[in-house]
Amino acid sequence: MSRRRDTKEVAVPVTSVDTIRVELGERSYPVHVGPGVRHLLPEIVAATGASRAAVVTARPPEWTPDPGVPALVVPVADGEHAKTVAQVESLCRRFAGFRLSRADVVVAVGGGSTTDTAGLAAALYHRGVPVIHVPTSLLAQADAGIGGKTAVNLPEGKNLIGTYWQPEAVLCDVEYLETLPETELINGYGEIARCHFIGAGDLRRQPLHRQIAASVDLKAAIVSADEHDTGKRHLLNYGHTLGHAIELVTDFAVPHGCAVGIGTVFAGRLAGLLNRIDPARVREHTEVVRHYGLPTTLPSTADPDRLIDAIRHDKKSAGSTTFVLDGPAGPELVPHISEEKIRQALAQMH
Ligand SMILES: NC(=O)c1ccc[n+]([C@@H]2O[C@H](COP(=O)([O-])OP(=O)(O)OC[C@H]3O[C@@H](n4cnc5c(N)ncnc54)[C@H](O)[C@@H]3O)[C@@H](O)[C@H]2O)c1
Ligand SMILES: [Zn+2]
């Protein structure tokens, strides 16, 4: 792809851009990772053939890229509580008011809550309009913006209403991370930390944009092999079963990435208790999670009974208590884990 200067004459330094392709046949798409890649937006929009765009943005105007075509800019609130069916309806009504057509494009600019919600609105409006993701948090750049899962929450649980809707392209501009609060950076490291145990290897000494690119690369390969989460994609849930439970019982006081960090330590301990991995590998879980500045113990407010209840209701459990655990043959889905072992592993987490 040729790189060109945008209207603000900001050059994208080609050499520092990593481009990873998510291979899904006709629905394959590139993920560009690097400084300034948001300025590729007009080129990407032009390639879709869209003549207009709806830019759903949780970032301020100076950080909302120009799509290069006449656009409706829809500022939105973000965060877990903004991931609602009402928000999806509101976005679709704005699209309709603008007479956005199926030949146009939606651009989502924000963290994972924005790409999830705008992605779902794009999937549903007119039975699907193309979407381009511009993830702005570390968590969204390393994970949420890639792979086509979209969802909003119900009071009964996270991500209960959603669909698969692959983007046309994803622009992971690391310049966004300049304004990201430290806690959100650490939060994003939760997704990067769990990549250590599912095939990315040790990224601890890599610069941040390479850690993002490596996480994207791993996710792209997994999504290409299992788009609809019927097999290998379960690996991405490493650390997530307990992570989701922690989010739920603390009413999201523990953010997603931190919850996944704690869940990753727990996955190591559970695998150790089941004799799937040796004590050194169990310790490696704590070391890696701690290296990224993430918490490694359960919050005092997370009661084990409530956690176990929440784990049982996790949508990935499919009737029995299932975890993705490391083992002699690498990480895999392990069903039928007894409550006793879960309690033992939880007891080691205080
Ligand atoms: N679809 C998927 O595959 C997938 C995967 C992982 C997580 N998720 C979802 O992603 C969400 C978590 O993502 P998130 O942490 O990005 O959530 P988020 O959108 O709530 O963003 C987190 C915080 O960072 C702020 N922020 C974002 N970009 C910023 C920037 N450049 N500068 C300053 N502040 C910025 C936001 O305002 C917000 O306060 C969850 O809802 C989770 O379910 C989805
Ligand atoms: Zn996650």
Side-chain angles (χ1 to χ4, degrees):
M1 182 191 299
S2 68
R3 316 277 179 205
R4 69 154 200 238
R5 285 164 187 269
D6 78 350
T7 49
K8 290 180 198 147
E9 288 294 309
V10 180
V12 177
V14 181
T15 48
S16 55
V17 174
D18 285 300
T19 298
I20 298 121
R21 273 187 81 73
V22 181
E23 296 292 350
L24 288 166
E26 283 179 352
R27 288 170 299 112
S28 299
Y29 56 94
V31 182
H32 302 290
V33 183
V37 297
R38 69 189 182 284
H39 301 298
L40 296 173
L41 185 61
E43 191 176 309
I44 305 264
V45 168
T48 69
S51 52
R52 302 196 314 154
V55 182
V56 178
T57 179
R59 302 311 311 144
E62 64 274 22
W63 283 103
T64 299
D66 180 354
V69 291
L72 169 75
V73 177
V74 188
V76 287
D78 58 10
E80 212 49 53
H81 293 285
K83 281 180 55 167
T84 61
V85 177
Q87 175 84 303
V88 172
E89 180 183 0
S90 159
L91 287 175
C92 290
R93 291 191 63 187
R94 294 297 305 275
F95 301 164
F98 184 61
R99 305 211 181 287
L100 194 77
S101 83
R102 290 178 65 185
D104 295 326
V105 67
V106 171
V107 179
V109 184
S113 64
T114 306
T115 53
D116 270 15
T117 310
L120 181 57
L124 296 176
Y125 181 71
H126 273 314
R127 300 189 186 83
V129 293
V131 65
I132 296 166
H133 288 318
V134 186
T136 65
S137 67
L138 178 55
L139 191 144
Q141 293 187 359
D143 186 12
I146 295 94
K149 277 192 183 179
T150 73
V152 294
N153 303 327
L154 288 178
E156 287 74 13
K158 258 179 72 88
N159 297 332
L160 288 182
I161 297 192
T163 187
Y164 292 90
W165 191 244
Q166 299 294 343
E168 300 296 304
V170 184
L171 301 175
C172 297
D173 190 334
V174 293
E175 286 176 1
Y176 281 114
L177 307 179
E178 290 165 14
T179 61
L180 197 66
E182 176 75 15
T183 51
E184 293 302 338
L185 204 61
I186 290 170
N187 191 22
Y189 275 124
E191 306 290 6
I192 294 176
R194 66 90 155 82
C195 289
H196 182 110
F197 300 99
I198 56 171
D202 196 344
L203 303 173
R204 280 177 285 182
R205 271 158 287 280
Q206 300 278 328
L208 180 54
H209 76 277
R210 297 277 177 232
Q211 292 177 340
I212 296 169
S215 304
V216 169
D217 207 24
L218 176 72
K219 184 159 184 181
I222 291 174
V223 168
S224 298
D226 176 25
E227 182 182 11
H228 291 146
D229 209 350
T230 55
K232 208 179 168 194
R233 195 162 173 165
H234 293 312
L235 291 182
L236 293 168
N237 291 324
Y238 202 79
H240 278 61
T241 304
L242 181 67
H244 286 152
I246 292 170
E247 286 182 275
L248 215 58
V249 309
T250 63
D251 194 23
F252 302 106
V254 178
H256 183 76
C258 290
V260 169
I262 301 167
T264 297
V265 174
F266 172 81
R269 292 197 182 273
L270 191 56
L273 283 170
L274 295 167
N275 295 317
R276 295 178 54 85
I277 56 174
D278 63 23
R281 185 69 167 169
V282 175
R283 274 197 305 280
E284 191 175 333
H285 282 72
T286 308
E287 284 160 13
V288 168
V289 171
R290 185 177 291 135
H291 167 88
Y292 287 107
L294 297 154
T296 59
T297 57
L298 284 176
S300 56
T301 49
D303 171 59
D305 288 334
R306 289 192 62 208
L307 286 173
I308 286 171
D309 205 40
I311 286 167
R312 286 219 188 86
H313 284 93
D314 191 89
K315 66 180 186 302
K316 276 107 194 171
S317 300
S320 76
T321 307
T322 300
F323 284 86
V324 185
L325 295 177
D326 200 3
E332 61 188 341
L333 209 55
V334 184
H336 311 302
I337 295 178
S338 74
E339 186 177 317
E340 187 201 346
K341 290 286 179 210
I342 297 171
R343 279 190 192 278
Q344 277 177 30
L346 286 174
Q348 295 179 359
M349 299 281 301
H350 285 296

